[in-house]
Structure formats: C-alpha cells, structure tokens
PDB file of all heavy atoms in Angstrom:
ATOM      1  N   ARG E   1       0.851  -1.202   0.029  1.00 98.00           N
ATOM      2  CA  ARG E   1       0.010   0.003   0.007  1.00 98.00           C
ATOM      3  C   ARG E   1       0.875   1.265   0.007  1.00 98.00           C
ATOM      4  O   ARG E   1       1.869   1.303   0.725  1.00 98.00           O
ATOM      5  CB  ARG E   1      -0.909  -0.009   1.235  1.00 98.00           C
ATOM      6  CG  ARG E   1      -1.955   1.126   1.160  1.00 98.00           C
ATOM      7  CD  ARG E   1      -3.038   0.949   2.160  1.00 98.00           C
ATOM      8  NE  ARG E   1      -3.978   2.060   2.046  1.00 98.00           N
ATOM      9  CZ  ARG E   1      -5.018   2.214   2.840  1.00 98.00           C
ATOM     10  NH1 ARG E   1      -5.279   1.311   3.783  1.00 98.00           N
ATOM     11  NH2 ARG E   1      -5.844   3.221   2.675  1.00 98.00           N
ATOM     12  N   ILE E   2       0.452   2.228  -0.792  1.00 97.00           N
ATOM     13  CA  ILE E   2       1.159   3.505  -0.861  1.00 97.00           C
ATOM     14  C   ILE E   2       0.139   4.638  -0.571  1.00 97.00           C
ATOM     15  O   ILE E   2      -1.057   4.366  -0.513  1.00 97.00           O
ATOM     16  CB  ILE E   2       1.846   3.721  -2.243  1.00 97.00           C
ATOM     17  CG1 ILE E   2       0.837   3.647  -3.379  1.00 97.00           C
ATOM     18  CG2 ILE E   2       2.979   2.710  -2.439  1.00 97.00           C
ATOM     19  CD1 ILE E   2       1.412   3.943  -4.755  1.00 97.00           C
ATOM     20  N   GLU E   3       0.654   5.810  -0.348  1.00 96.00           N
ATOM     21  CA  GLU E   3      -0.218   6.902   0.040  1.00 96.00           C
ATOM     22  C   GLU E   3      -1.164   7.268  -1.103  1.00 96.00           C
ATOM     23  O   GLU E   3      -0.811   7.323  -2.291  1.00 96.00           O
ATOM     24  CB  GLU E   3       0.602   8.129   0.357  1.00 96.00           C
ATOM     25  CG  GLU E   3      -0.242   9.308   0.839  1.00 96.00           C
ATOM     26  CD  GLU E   3       0.582  10.520   1.251  1.00 96.00           C
ATOM     27  OE1 GLU E   3       1.813  10.478   1.160  1.00 96.00           O
ATOM     28  OE2 GLU E   3      -0.015  11.480   1.673  1.00 96.00           O
ATOM     29  N   ALA E   4      -2.429   7.549  -0.718  1.00 96.00           N
ATOM     30  CA  ALA E   4      -3.443   8.069  -1.632  1.00 96.00           C
ATOM     31  C   ALA E   4      -4.245   9.084  -0.814  1.00 96.00           C
ATOM     32  O   ALA E   4      -4.661   8.807   0.314  1.00 96.00           O
ATOM     33  CB  ALA E   4      -4.346   6.999  -2.157  1.00 96.00           C
ATOM     34  N   ALA E   5      -4.394  10.262  -1.351  1.00 95.00           N
ATOM     35  CA  ALA E   5      -5.081  11.361  -0.640  1.00 95.00           C
ATOM     36  C   ALA E   5      -6.050  12.068  -1.580  1.00 95.00           C
ATOM     37  O   ALA E   5      -5.866  12.030  -2.800  1.00 95.00           O
ATOM     38  CB  ALA E   5      -4.074  12.331  -0.081  1.00 95.00           C
ATOM     39  N   THR E   6      -7.031  12.686  -0.993  1.00 95.00           N
ATOM     40  CA  THR E   6      -8.006  13.444  -1.783  1.00 95.00           C
ATOM     41  C   THR E   6      -8.410  14.703  -1.039  1.00 95.00           C
ATOM     42  O   THR E   6      -8.342  14.745   0.220  1.00 95.00           O
ATOM     43  CB  THR E   6      -9.264  12.601  -2.099  1.00 95.00           C
ATOM     44  OG1 THR E   6     -10.183  13.376  -2.852  1.00 95.00           O
ATOM     45  CG2 THR E   6      -9.967  12.131  -0.832  1.00 95.00           C
ATOM     46  N   THR E   7      -8.881  15.701  -1.787  1.00 93.00           N
ATOM     47  CA  THR E   7      -9.438  16.883  -1.150  1.00 93.00           C
ATOM     48  C   THR E   7     -10.970  16.834  -1.125  1.00 93.00           C
ATOM     49  O   THR E   7     -11.615  17.703  -0.624  1.00 93.00           O
ATOM     50  CB  THR E   7      -8.998  18.172  -1.897  1.00 93.00           C
ATOM     51  OG1 THR E   7      -9.413  18.034  -3.305  1.00 93.00           O
ATOM     52  CG2 THR E   7      -7.487  18.364  -1.868  1.00 93.00           C
ATOM     53  N   ASN E   8     -11.532  15.776  -1.732  1.00 96.00           N
ATOM     54  CA  ASN E   8     -12.979  15.620  -1.805  1.00 96.00           C
ATOM     55  C   ASN E   8     -13.407  14.549  -0.768  1.00 96.00           C
ATOM     56  O   ASN E   8     -13.106  13.381  -0.922  1.00 96.00           O
ATOM     57  CB  ASN E   8     -13.374  15.154  -3.197  1.00 96.00           C
ATOM     58  CG  ASN E   8     -14.849  15.071  -3.404  1.00 96.00           C
ATOM     59  OD1 ASN E   8     -15.617  14.959  -2.478  1.00 96.00           O
ATOM     60  ND2 ASN E   8     -15.264  15.100  -4.668  1.00 96.00           N
ATOM     61  N   PRO E   9     -14.146  14.953   0.249  1.00 96.00           N
ATOM     62  CA  PRO E   9     -14.544  14.018   1.307  1.00 96.00           C
ATOM     63  C   PRO E   9     -15.508  12.930   0.801  1.00 96.00           C
ATOM     64  O   PRO E   9     -15.731  11.937   1.508  1.00 96.00           O
ATOM     65  CB  PRO E   9     -15.176  14.879   2.370  1.00 96.00           C
ATOM     66  CG  PRO E   9     -15.595  16.125   1.700  1.00 96.00           C
ATOM     67  CD  PRO E   9     -14.601  16.316   0.562  1.00 96.00           C
ATOM     68  N   ALA E  10     -16.044  13.078  -0.404  1.00 97.00           N
ATOM     69  CA  ALA E  10     -16.954  12.069  -0.957  1.00 97.00           C
ATOM     70  C   ALA E  10     -16.202  10.902  -1.595  1.00 97.00           C
ATOM     71  O   ALA E  10     -16.820   9.936  -2.051  1.00 97.00           O
ATOM     72  CB  ALA E  10     -17.910  12.712  -1.983  1.00 97.00           C
ATOM     73  N   LEU E  11     -14.867  11.038  -1.687  1.00 98.00           N
ATOM     74  CA  LEU E  11     -14.038  10.030  -2.312  1.00 98.00           C
ATOM     75  C   LEU E  11     -13.148   9.383  -1.254  1.00 98.00           C
ATOM     76  O   LEU E  11     -12.526  10.135  -0.446  1.00 98.00           O
ATOM     77  CB  LEU E  11     -13.199  10.609  -3.457  1.00 98.00           C
ATOM     78  CG  LEU E  11     -13.971  11.297  -4.585  1.00 98.00           C
ATOM     79  CD1 LEU E  11     -13.023  11.952  -5.550  1.00 98.00           C
ATOM     80  CD2 LEU E  11     -14.895  10.310  -5.286  1.00 98.00           C
ATOM     81  N   ASP E  12     -12.993   8.073  -1.325  1.00 98.00           N
ATOM     82  CA  ASP E  12     -12.130   7.336  -0.396  1.00 98.00           C
ATOM     83  C   ASP E  12     -11.145   6.474  -1.179  1.00 98.00           C
ATOM     84  O   ASP E  12     -11.530   5.312  -1.526  1.00 98.00           O
ATOM     85  CB  ASP E  12     -13.032   6.495   0.524  1.00 98.00           C
ATOM     86  CG  ASP E  12     -12.241   5.848   1.656  1.00 98.00           C
ATOM     87  OD1 ASP E  12     -11.060   6.195   1.839  1.00 98.00           O
ATOM     88  OD2 ASP E  12     -12.786   4.960   2.301  1.00 98.00           O
ATOM     89  N   PRO E  13      -9.959   6.981  -1.494  1.00 98.00           N
ATOM     90  CA  PRO E  13      -9.050   6.229  -2.346  1.00 98.00           C
ATOM     91  C   PRO E  13      -8.077   5.336  -1.544  1.00 98.00           C
ATOM     92  O   PRO E  13      -7.738   5.652  -0.418  1.00 98.00           O
ATOM     93  CB  PRO E  13      -8.263   7.349  -3.032  1.00 98.00           C
ATOM     94  CG  PRO E  13      -8.183   8.431  -2.002  1.00 98.00           C
ATOM     95  CD  PRO E  13      -9.507   8.347  -1.264  1.00 98.00           C
ATOM     96  N   VAL E  14      -7.639   4.262  -2.155  1.00 98.00           N
ATOM     97  CA  VAL E  14      -6.504   3.446  -1.693  1.00 98.00           C
ATOM     98  C   VAL E  14      -5.636   3.190  -2.924  1.00 98.00           C
ATOM     99  O   VAL E  14      -6.160   3.073  -4.060  1.00 98.00           O
ATOM    100  CB  VAL E  14      -6.927   2.132  -1.019  1.00 98.00           C
ATOM    101  CG1 VAL E  14      -7.610   2.379   0.311  1.00 98.00           C
ATOM    102  CG2 VAL E  14      -7.792   1.271  -1.918  1.00 98.00           C
ATOM    103  N   ALA E  15      -4.323   3.070  -2.720  1.00 98.00           N
ATOM    104  CA  ALA E  15      -3.425   2.828  -3.820  1.00 98.00           C
ATOM    105  C   ALA E  15      -2.402   1.779  -3.397  1.00 98.00           C
ATOM    106  O   ALA E  15      -1.978   1.721  -2.236  1.00 98.00           O
ATOM    107  CB  ALA E  15      -2.736   4.107  -4.257  1.00 98.00           C
ATOM    108  N   PHE E  16      -2.006   0.943  -4.384  1.00 98.00           N
ATOM    109  CA  PHE E  16      -1.075  -0.155  -4.141  1.00 98.00           C
ATOM    110  C   PHE E  16      -0.118  -0.300  -5.303  1.00 98.00           C
ATOM    111  O   PHE E  16      -0.443   0.035  -6.426  1.00 98.00           O
ATOM    112  CB  PHE E  16      -1.832  -1.436  -3.970  1.00 98.00           C
ATOM    113  CG  PHE E  16      -2.639  -1.533  -2.749  1.00 98.00           C
ATOM    114  CD1 PHE E  16      -3.923  -0.948  -2.692  1.00 98.00           C
ATOM    115  CD2 PHE E  16      -2.197  -2.166  -1.620  1.00 98.00           C
ATOM    116  CE1 PHE E  16      -4.709  -1.058  -1.569  1.00 98.00           C
ATOM    117  CE2 PHE E  16      -2.935  -2.237  -0.467  1.00 98.00           C
ATOM    118  CZ  PHE E  16      -4.211  -1.701  -0.447  1.00 98.00           C
ATOM    119  N   ILE E  17       1.079  -0.837  -5.027  1.00 98.00           N
ATOM    120  CA  ILE E  17       1.961  -1.323  -6.069  1.00 98.00           C
ATOM    121  C   ILE E  17       1.914  -2.825  -5.950  1.00 98.00           C
ATOM    122  O   ILE E  17       2.219  -3.437  -4.903  1.00 98.00           O
ATOM    123  CB  ILE E  17       3.413  -0.805  -5.851  1.00 98.00           C
ATOM    124  CG1 ILE E  17       3.429   0.693  -5.859  1.00 98.00           C
ATOM    125  CG2 ILE E  17       4.291  -1.397  -6.969  1.00 98.00           C
ATOM    126  CD1 ILE E  17       4.813   1.261  -5.516  1.00 98.00           C
ATOM    127  N   ASN E  18       1.442  -3.478  -7.001  1.00 98.00           N
ATOM    128  CA  ASN E  18       1.321  -4.914  -7.066  1.00 98.00           C
ATOM    129  C   ASN E  18       2.710  -5.593  -7.185  1.00 98.00           C
ATOM    130  O   ASN E  18       3.667  -4.925  -7.573  1.00 98.00           O
ATOM    131  CB  ASN E  18       0.442  -5.378  -8.210  1.00 98.00           C
ATOM    132  CG  ASN E  18      -1.022  -5.068  -7.891  1.00 98.00           C
ATOM    133  OD1 ASN E  18      -1.526  -5.411  -6.819  1.00 98.00           O
ATOM    134  ND2 ASN E  18      -1.725  -4.485  -8.825  1.00 98.00           N
ATOM    135  N   PRO E  19       2.822  -6.881  -6.843  1.00 98.00           N
ATOM    136  CA  PRO E  19       4.135  -7.552  -6.901  1.00 98.00           C
ATOM    137  C   PRO E  19       4.754  -7.486  -8.301  1.00 98.00           C
ATOM    138  O   PRO E  19       6.010  -7.539  -8.404  1.00 98.00           O
ATOM    139  CB  PRO E  19       3.802  -8.988  -6.505  1.00 98.00           C
ATOM    140  CG  PRO E  19       2.617  -8.879  -5.619  1.00 98.00           C
ATOM    141  CD  PRO E  19       1.791  -7.715  -6.219  1.00 98.00           C
ATOM    142  N   ASP E  20       3.968  -7.363  -9.362  1.00 97.00           N
ATOM    143  CA  ASP E  20       4.544  -7.288 -10.727  1.00 97.00           C
ATOM    144  C   ASP E  20       4.955  -5.884 -11.128  1.00 97.00           C
ATOM    145  O   ASP E  20       5.382  -5.621 -12.243  1.00 97.00           O
ATOM    146  CB  ASP E  20       3.573  -7.885 -11.747  1.00 97.00           C
ATOM    147  CG  ASP E  20       2.300  -7.074 -11.893  1.00 97.00           C
ATOM    148  OD1 ASP E  20       2.099  -6.039 -11.203  1.00 97.00           O
ATOM    149  OD2 ASP E  20       1.443  -7.452 -12.739  1.00 97.00           O
ATOM    150  N   GLY E  21       4.816  -4.927 -10.162  1.00 97.00           N
ATOM    151  CA  GLY E  21       5.213  -3.556 -10.410  1.00 97.00           C
ATOM    152  C   GLY E  21       4.143  -2.632 -10.918  1.00 97.00           C
ATOM    153  O   GLY E  21       4.326  -1.446 -11.065  1.00 97.00           O
ATOM    154  N   THR E  22       2.963  -3.177 -11.256  1.00 97.00           N
ATOM    155  CA  THR E  22       1.841  -2.340 -11.736  1.00 97.00           C
ATOM    156  C   THR E  22       1.213  -1.668 -10.533  1.00 97.00           C
ATOM    157  O   THR E  22       1.237  -2.184  -9.404  1.00 97.00           O
ATOM    158  CB  THR E  22       0.784  -3.173 -12.479  1.00 97.00           C
ATOM    159  OG1 THR E  22       0.274  -4.177 -11.631  1.00 97.00           O
ATOM    160  CG2 THR E  22       1.375  -3.804 -13.749  1.00 97.00           C
ATOM    161  N   TYR E  23       0.578  -0.534 -10.840  1.00 97.00           N
ATOM    162  CA  TYR E  23      -0.117   0.235  -9.785  1.00 97.00           C
ATOM    163  C   TYR E  23      -1.618  -0.021  -9.871  1.00 97.00           C
ATOM    164  O   TYR E  23      -2.118  -0.225 -10.965  1.00 97.00           O
ATOM    165  CB  TYR E  23       0.177   1.740  -9.978  1.00 97.00           C
ATOM    166  CG  TYR E  23       1.506   2.232  -9.499  1.00 97.00           C
ATOM    167  CD1 TYR E  23       2.663   1.653  -9.982  1.00 97.00           C
ATOM    168  CD2 TYR E  23       1.609   3.227  -8.540  1.00 97.00           C
ATOM    169  CE1 TYR E  23       3.904   2.117  -9.531  1.00 97.00           C
ATOM    170  CE2 TYR E  23       2.835   3.659  -8.093  1.00 97.00           C
ATOM    171  CZ  TYR E  23       3.988   3.104  -8.606  1.00 97.00           C
ATOM    172  OH  TYR E  23       5.216   3.530  -8.173  1.00 97.00           O
ATOM    173  N   ALA E  24      -2.274   0.072  -8.756  1.00 98.00           N
ATOM    174  CA  ALA E  24      -3.717  -0.044  -8.707  1.00 98.00           C
ATOM    175  C   ALA E  24      -4.249   1.020  -7.727  1.00 98.00           C
ATOM    176  O   ALA E  24      -3.755   1.142  -6.602  1.00 98.00           O
ATOM    177  CB  ALA E  24      -4.159  -1.431  -8.255  1.00 98.00           C
ATOM    178  N   VAL E  25      -5.230   1.791  -8.194  1.00 98.00           N
ATOM    179  CA  VAL E  25      -5.906   2.758  -7.352  1.00 98.00           C
ATOM    180  C   VAL E  25      -7.389   2.384  -7.375  1.00 98.00           C
ATOM    181  O   VAL E  25      -7.944   2.233  -8.473  1.00 98.00           O
ATOM    182  CB  VAL E  25      -5.709   4.199  -7.871  1.00 98.00           C
ATOM    183  CG1 VAL E  25      -6.455   5.213  -7.024  1.00 98.00           C
ATOM    184  CG2 VAL E  25      -4.223   4.532  -7.971  1.00 98.00           C
ATOM    185  N   VAL E  26      -7.959   2.277  -6.195  1.00 98.00           N
ATOM    186  CA  VAL E  26      -9.374   1.952  -6.118  1.00 98.00           C
ATOM    187  C   VAL E  26     -10.024   3.061  -5.257  1.00 98.00           C
ATOM    188  O   VAL E  26      -9.523   3.399  -4.180  1.00 98.00           O
ATOM    189  CB  VAL E  26      -9.662   0.584  -5.527  1.00 98.00           C
ATOM    190  CG1 VAL E  26     -11.135   0.281  -5.475  1.00 98.00           C
ATOM    191  CG2 VAL E  26      -8.913  -0.514  -6.302  1.00 98.00           C
ATOM    192  N   ILE E  27     -11.115   3.634  -5.800  1.00 98.00           N
ATOM    193  CA  ILE E  27     -11.759   4.728  -5.133  1.00 98.00           C
ATOM    194  C   ILE E  27     -13.227   4.470  -4.882  1.00 98.00           C
ATOM    195  O   ILE E  27     -13.963   4.159  -5.818  1.00 98.00           O
ATOM    196  CB  ILE E  27     -11.640   6.041  -5.997  1.00 98.00           C
ATOM    197  CG1 ILE E  27     -10.184   6.334  -6.301  1.00 98.00           C
ATOM    198  CG2 ILE E  27     -12.312   7.216  -5.291  1.00 98.00           C
ATOM    199  CD1 ILE E  27      -9.998   7.358  -7.372  1.00 98.00           C
ATOM    200  N   LYS E  28     -13.596   4.518  -3.613  1.00 98.00           N
ATOM    201  CA  LYS E  28     -14.961   4.388  -3.237  1.00 98.00           C
ATOM    202  C   LYS E  28     -15.587   5.835  -3.292  1.00 98.00           C
ATOM    203  O   LYS E  28     -15.059   6.756  -2.627  1.00 98.00           O
ATOM    204  CB  LYS E  28     -15.132   3.836  -1.822  1.00 98.00           C
ATOM    205  CG  LYS E  28     -16.564   3.764  -1.339  1.00 98.00           C
ATOM    206  CD  LYS E  28     -16.566   3.203   0.100  1.00 98.00           C
ATOM    207  CE  LYS E  28     -17.914   3.365   0.722  1.00 98.00           C
ATOM    208  NZ  LYS E  28     -17.930   3.047   2.135  1.00 98.00           N
ATOM    209  N   ALA E  29     -16.634   6.016  -4.099  1.00 97.00           N
ATOM    210  CA  ALA E  29     -17.230   7.321  -4.307  1.00 97.00           C
ATOM    211  C   ALA E  29     -18.667   7.329  -3.702  1.00 97.00           C
ATOM    212  O   ALA E  29     -19.460   6.454  -4.123  1.00 97.00           O
ATOM    213  CB  ALA E  29     -17.255   7.658  -5.757  1.00 97.00           C
ATOM    214  N   SER E  30     -18.963   8.249  -2.832  1.00 97.00           N
ATOM    215  CA  SER E  30     -20.277   8.268  -2.285  1.00 97.00           C
ATOM    216  C   SER E  30     -21.261   9.130  -3.172  1.00 97.00           C
ATOM    217  O   SER E  30     -22.466   9.167  -2.914  1.00 97.00           O
ATOM    218  CB  SER E  30     -20.292   8.844  -0.856  1.00 97.00           C
ATOM    219  OG  SER E  30     -19.752  10.122  -0.805  1.00 97.00           O
ATOM    220  N   ILE E  31     -20.694   9.750  -4.194  1.00 97.00           N
ATOM    221  CA  ILE E  31     -21.460  10.499  -5.191  1.00 97.00           C
ATOM    222  C   ILE E  31     -20.784  10.349  -6.566  1.00 97.00           C
ATOM    223  O   ILE E  31     -19.631   9.915  -6.637  1.00 97.00           O
ATOM    224  CB  ILE E  31     -21.539  12.024  -4.842  1.00 97.00           C
ATOM    225  CG1 ILE E  31     -20.114  12.638  -4.818  1.00 97.00           C
ATOM    226  CG2 ILE E  31     -22.296  12.285  -3.540  1.00 97.00           C
ATOM    227  CD1 ILE E  31     -20.075  14.136  -4.722  1.00 97.00           C
ATOM    228  N   GLY E  32     -21.459  10.700  -7.646  1.00 97.00           N
ATOM    229  CA  GLY E  32     -20.762  10.811  -8.920  1.00 97.00           C
ATOM    230  C   GLY E  32     -19.770  11.940  -8.850  1.00 97.00           C
ATOM    231  O   GLY E  32     -19.991  12.932  -8.187  1.00 97.00           O
ATOM    232  N   ALA E  33     -18.626  11.738  -9.541  1.00 97.00           N
ATOM    233  CA  ALA E  33     -17.574  12.750  -9.440  1.00 97.00           C
ATOM    234  C   ALA E  33     -16.655  12.715 -10.620  1.00 97.00           C
ATOM    235  O   ALA E  33     -16.434  11.648 -11.201  1.00 97.00           O
ATOM    236  CB  ALA E  33     -16.819  12.576  -8.131  1.00 97.00           C
ATOM    237  N   ASN E  34     -16.055  13.878 -10.889  1.00 96.00           N
ATOM    238  CA  ASN E  34     -14.913  13.952 -11.778  1.00 96.00           C
ATOM    239  C   ASN E  34     -13.664  13.787 -10.932  1.00 96.00           C
ATOM    240  O   ASN E  34     -13.591  14.404  -9.869  1.00 96.00           O
ATOM    241  CB  ASN E  34     -14.908  15.296 -12.537  1.00 96.00           C
ATOM    242  CG  ASN E  34     -16.046  15.437 -13.478  1.00 96.00           C
ATOM    243  OD1 ASN E  34     -16.408  14.487 -14.160  1.00 96.00           O
ATOM    244  ND2 ASN E  34     -16.652  16.580 -13.516  1.00 96.00           N
ATOM    245  N   ILE E  35     -12.730  12.978 -11.398  1.00 97.00           N
ATOM    246  CA  ILE E  35     -11.580  12.631 -10.575  1.00 97.00           C
ATOM    247  C   ILE E  35     -10.290  12.910 -11.373  1.00 97.00           C
ATOM    248  O   ILE E  35     -10.207  12.493 -12.506  1.00 97.00           O
ATOM    249  CB  ILE E  35     -11.647  11.146 -10.144  1.00 97.00           C
ATOM    250  CG1 ILE E  35     -12.908  10.848  -9.397  1.00 97.00           C
ATOM    251  CG2 ILE E  35     -10.396  10.733  -9.334  1.00 97.00           C
ATOM    252  CD1 ILE E  35     -13.221   9.388  -9.210  1.00 97.00           C
ATOM    253  N   SER E  36      -9.349  13.573 -10.739  1.00 96.00           N
ATOM    254  CA  SER E  36      -8.042  13.806 -11.394  1.00 96.00           C
ATOM    255  C   SER E  36      -6.983  13.153 -10.499  1.00 96.00           C
ATOM    256  O   SER E  36      -6.946  13.402  -9.276  1.00 96.00           O
ATOM    257  CB  SER E  36      -7.733  15.315 -11.481  1.00 96.00           C
ATOM    258  OG  SER E  36      -8.583  15.922 -12.438  1.00 96.00           O
ATOM    259  N   ILE E  37      -6.144  12.327 -11.124  1.00 96.00           N
ATOM    260  CA  ILE E  37      -5.151  11.575 -10.361  1.00 96.00           C
ATOM    261  C   ILE E  37      -3.773  11.947 -10.871  1.00 96.00           C
ATOM    262  O   ILE E  37      -3.547  11.963 -12.099  1.00 96.00           O
ATOM    263  CB  ILE E  37      -5.386  10.054 -10.534  1.00 96.00           C
ATOM    264  CG1 ILE E  37      -6.748   9.687  -9.979  1.00 96.00           C
ATOM    265  CG2 ILE E  37      -4.278   9.249  -9.846  1.00 96.00           C
ATOM    266  CD1 ILE E  37      -7.151   8.244 -10.265  1.00 96.00           C
ATOM    267  N   SER E  38      -2.860  12.198  -9.974  1.00 95.00           N
ATOM    268  CA  SER E  38      -1.480  12.443 -10.317  1.00 95.00           C
ATOM    269  C   SER E  38      -0.590  11.442  -9.600  1.00 95.00           C
ATOM    270  O   SER E  38      -1.015  10.813  -8.635  1.00 95.00           O
ATOM    271  CB  SER E  38      -1.060  13.875  -9.941  1.00 95.00           C
ATOM    272  OG  SER E  38      -1.051  14.005  -8.555  1.00 95.00           O
ATOM    273  N   GLY E  39       0.627  11.266 -10.063  1.00 94.00           N
ATOM    274  CA  GLY E  39       1.557  10.436  -9.390  1.00 94.00           C
ATOM    275  C   GLY E  39       1.681   9.023  -9.906  1.00 94.00           C
ATOM    276  O   GLY E  39       2.503   8.236  -9.429  1.00 94.00           O
ATOM    277  N   LEU E  40       0.883   8.683 -10.918  1.00 96.00           N
ATOM    278  CA  LEU E  40       1.017   7.334 -11.496  1.00 96.00           C
ATOM    279  C   LEU E  40       2.159   7.319 -12.480  1.00 96.00           C
ATOM    280  O   LEU E  40       2.356   8.307 -13.218  1.00 96.00           O
ATOM    281  CB  LEU E  40      -0.298   6.931 -12.226  1.00 96.00           C
ATOM    282  CG  LEU E  40      -1.483   6.676 -11.335  1.00 96.00           C
ATOM    283  CD1 LEU E  40      -2.757   6.485 -12.187  1.00 96.00           C
ATOM    284  CD2 LEU E  40      -1.271   5.441 -10.435  1.00 96.00           C
ATOM    285  N   PRO E  41       2.919   6.266 -12.530  1.00 96.00           N
ATOM    286  CA  PRO E  41       4.021   6.192 -13.503  1.00 96.00           C
ATOM    287  C   PRO E  41       3.468   6.065 -14.901  1.00 96.00           C
ATOM    288  O   PRO E  41       2.303   5.680 -15.111  1.00 96.00           O
ATOM    289  CB  PRO E  41       4.796   4.946 -13.120  1.00 96.00           C
ATOM    290  CG  PRO E  41       3.850   4.111 -12.338  1.00 96.00           C
ATOM    291  CD  PRO E  41       2.881   5.027 -11.700  1.00 96.00           C
ATOM    292  N   GLN E  42       4.297   6.408 -15.879  1.00 96.00           N
ATOM    293  CA  GLN E  42       3.842   6.282 -17.264  1.00 96.00           C
ATOM    294  C   GLN E  42       3.519   4.823 -17.609  1.00 96.00           C
ATOM    295  O   GLN E  42       4.042   3.915 -16.959  1.00 96.00           O
ATOM    296  CB  GLN E  42       4.911   6.818 -18.238  1.00 96.00           C
ATOM    297  CG  GLN E  42       6.143   5.983 -18.345  1.00 96.00           C
ATOM    298  CD  GLN E  42       7.120   6.617 -19.321  1.00 96.00           C
ATOM    299  OE1 GLN E  42       7.075   7.782 -19.568  1.00 96.00           O
ATOM    300  NE2 GLN E  42       8.016   5.780 -19.844  1.00 96.00           N
ATOM    301  N   GLY E  43       2.564   4.648 -18.496  1.00 97.00           N
ATOM    302  CA  GLY E  43       2.142   3.308 -18.878  1.00 97.00           C
ATOM    303  C   GLY E  43       0.710   3.255 -19.257  1.00 97.00           C
ATOM    304  O   GLY E  43      -0.013   4.268 -19.301  1.00 97.00           O
ATOM    305  N   ARG E  44       0.212   2.067 -19.540  1.00 98.00           N
ATOM    306  CA  ARG E  44      -1.165   1.850 -19.956  1.00 98.00           C
ATOM    307  C   ARG E  44      -1.976   1.430 -18.728  1.00 98.00           C
ATOM    308  O   ARG E  44      -1.554   0.555 -17.982  1.00 98.00           O
ATOM    309  CB  ARG E  44      -1.224   0.799 -21.042  1.00 98.00           C
ATOM    310  CG  ARG E  44      -2.566   0.791 -21.776  1.00 98.00           C
ATOM    311  CD  ARG E  44      -2.526  -0.066 -22.986  1.00 98.00           C
ATOM    312  NE  ARG E  44      -3.379  -1.203 -22.704  1.00 98.00           N
ATOM    313  CZ  ARG E  44      -3.136  -2.452 -23.080  1.00 98.00           C
ATOM    314  NH1 ARG E  44      -2.042  -2.741 -23.768  1.00 98.00           N
ATOM    315  NH2 ARG E  44      -3.979  -3.408 -22.790  1.00 98.00           N
TER     316      ARG E  44
END
C-alpha cells in the first residue's frame, strides 16, 4: 500500500503497487464525481 489522498470527502481512495510492479488505485465514491489523479508512472 502507498499513500493516496483526496481533497474531496466524498471520495475514499486506496493505492497499491502490485508484486509485478503495476499500480492499482481503487476509489469508493459516495457521489458521482470527476476525478483527477497524479503520481502514477507512465504506462497503460
């Protein structure tokens, strides 16, 4: 698990680096929302 933070209290993010080096971010949203994420490495 790595740090994930938000300024929107309606969003509850968690972020992880998987054993194969890929990143995963999962966000529980209590409302519909536009989300901007920074800090992910380049890739698909």
Side-chain angles (χ1 to χ4, degrees):
R1 188 168 180 181
I2 57 176
E3 182 178 2
T6 181
T7 58
N8 185 339
L11 302 175
D12 187 12
V14 292
F16 291 83
I17 302 174
N18 285 313
D20 66 359
T22 59
Y23 282 57
V25 179
V26 182
I27 303 167
K28 177 181 168 189
S30 60
I31 61 170
N34 294 318
I35 302 167
S36 293
I37 298 172
S38 67
L40 291 172
Q42 70 180 23
R44 195 170 112 218

